[in-house]
């Protein structure tokens, strides 16, 4: 089983890079934000609870997200491993993940941190669009679709995420970046954290992430400065 945790502040490029890493390793992507947005769209009790936090830019409580995310990880699709996009987001979540994997003699193999300065992220999120059907990620400035307003992969309309309004983005940064640093410290202490400069073009960030998977040393990959932002 190969388990890769993809870390980064909101908008750092986790959702953009996760499918490429998944294809590279032959494992699925499990994205906590997608799981929660599906629950919100379904109007389930979980979705109604999650929406109260997500719409304010706050993290969903650990006990809620840990339960649903680890259930998903136990699913048959993830039997050979997974790319975890957006989970864990707190030290408590990271410890719960470690315990769940250890029950089967597994562990997190790689933690890849995409670093982007916070001031770049607000702008990125204002121009982000996702497809209504499957959440494929675009950017009207840096990564537009071939046909304006339509997903290249499934043809569904492109929409703006409700939590990409500037005020909510700023709240997400303020509330979510400090616990993210705790998670990075957790994996740094375990010797498996690799940091990649997320200010580069999408393809170069992807190449650095693949190189980081292959690299034996926990070190900066790419030209960015360690600790340059998020
Ligand atoms: P989630 O959906 O996970 O949001 P997020 O972590 O805030 O991350 P984003 O999806 O906003 O950004 P991303 O890093 O995937 O960037 P993307 O690739 O889209 O979570 C949503 C909410 O759910 C949270 O706020 C929280 O409330 C809740 N939640 C989720 N997980 C939780 C957990 N574990 N615990 C508690 N609560 C949880 O890229 C952004 C834009 O930039 C796109 O337009 C893209 O095209 C563009 N872009 C990407 N890379 C580049 C590049 N290299 N150069 C230029 N543009 C780029």
């Amino acid at each position: 089983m190969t388990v890769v945790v993809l870390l980064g502040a909101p908008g750092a490029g986790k959702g953009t890079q996760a499918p490429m890493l998944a294809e590279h390793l032959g494992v699925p992507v499990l994205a906590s934000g997608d799981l929660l947005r599906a629950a919100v769209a379904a109007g389930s009790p979980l979705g109604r609870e999650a929406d109260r936090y997500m719409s304010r830019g706050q993290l969903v409580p650990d006990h809620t997200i840990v339960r649903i995310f680890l259930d998903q990880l136990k699913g048959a699709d993830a039997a050979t491993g997974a790319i975890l996009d957006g989970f864990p987001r707190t030290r408590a979540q990271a410890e719960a993940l470690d315990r769940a994997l250890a029950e089967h003699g597994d562990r997190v193999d790689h933690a890849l941190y995409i670093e982007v300065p916070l001031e770049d992220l607000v702008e990125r999120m204002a121009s982000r669009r996702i497809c209504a059907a499957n959440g494929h990620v675009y950017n009207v400035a840096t990564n537009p679709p071939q046909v304006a307003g339509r997903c290249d992969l499934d043809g569904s309309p492109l929409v703006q995420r409700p939590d990409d309004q500037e005020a909510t983005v700023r709240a997400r940064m303020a509330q979510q970046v400090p616990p993210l640093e705790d998670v990075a410290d957790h994996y740094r202490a375990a010797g498996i954290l690799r940091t990649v400069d997320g200010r580069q073009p999408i393809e170069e960030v992807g190449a650095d992430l693949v190189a980081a998977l292959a690299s034996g040393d926990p070190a900066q990959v790419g030209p960015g400065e360690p600790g340059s932002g998020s």
Side-chain angles (χ1 to χ4, degrees), residues 11 14-16 32 58 89 128 138-139 172 176 200:
K14 304 180 296 295
T16 298
S32 53
Q58 296 170 349
R89 284 272 238 288
R128 171 166 56 186
Y138 296 88
N139 191 289
R172 288 162 67 192
Q176 300 187 20
Q200 306 173 91

Side-chain angles (χ1 to χ4, degrees), residues 13 18 35 49 68 80 88-89 95 133 182-183 192 200 208 221 230:
L35 268 179
E49 183 196 351
I68 64 159
T80 57
R89 284 272 238 288
E95 290 169 355
D182 286 345
V183 175
I192 58 168
Q200 306 173 91
D208 279 356
V221 176
S230 349

Side-chain angles (χ1 to χ4, degrees), residues 46-220:
L46 164 69
R48 288 197 295 276
E49 183 196 351
D51 194 33
R52 284 203 297 277
Y53 296 94
M54 294 169 77
S55 61
R56 293 184 200 140
Q58 296 170 349
L59 290 175
V60 172
D62 285 337
H63 62 87
T64 302
I65 186 73
V66 163
R67 178 170 48 82
I68 64 159
F69 197 87
L70 293 184
D71 278 355
Q72 187 84 4
L73 184 59
K74 280 184 207 145
D77 283 358
T80 57
I83 308 294
L84 309 190
D85 166 3
F87 184 96
R89 284 272 238 288
T90 64
R91 190 179 288 272
Q93 293 178 21
E95 290 169 355
L97 175 63
D98 287 348
R99 285 195 297 274
L101 291 171
E103 281 174 18
H104 303 282
D106 294 315
R107 63 188 170 90
V108 174
D109 298 283
H110 305 275
L112 305 180
Y113 191 168
I114 305 175
E115 276 199 323
V116 180
L118 294 186
E119 59 270 24
D120 293 5
L121 294 173
V122 177
E123 197 177 315
R124 268 195 195 182
M125 275 140 96
S127 47
R128 171 166 56 186
R129 301 291 181 275
I130 61 167
C131 84
N134 293 299
H136 297 125
V137 183
Y138 296 88
N139 191 289
V140 292
T142 58
N143 184 26
Q146 286 165 10
V147 175
R150 291 274 154 196
C151 179
D152 294 345
L153 300 174
D154 58 35
S156 72
L158 300 187
V159 297
Q160 194 163 22
R161 272 174 43 177
D163 58 351
D164 277 350
Q165 304 299 324
E166 185 173 335
T168 315
V169 168
R170 292 195 183 278
R172 288 162 67 192
M173 299 297 175
Q175 301 190 30
Q176 300 187 20
V177 170
L180 171 69
E181 293 301 334
D182 286 345
V183 175
D185 286 345
H186 177 81
Y187 292 121
R188 192 175 287 115
I192 58 168
L193 185 76
R194 311 282 189 278
T195 302
V196 164
D197 181 358
R199 295 168 298 181
Q200 306 173 91
I202 289 171
E203 292 71 23
E204 289 172 31
V205 176
D208 279 356
L209 289 170
V210 170
L213 285 178
S215 113
D217 298 321
Q220 174 84 9

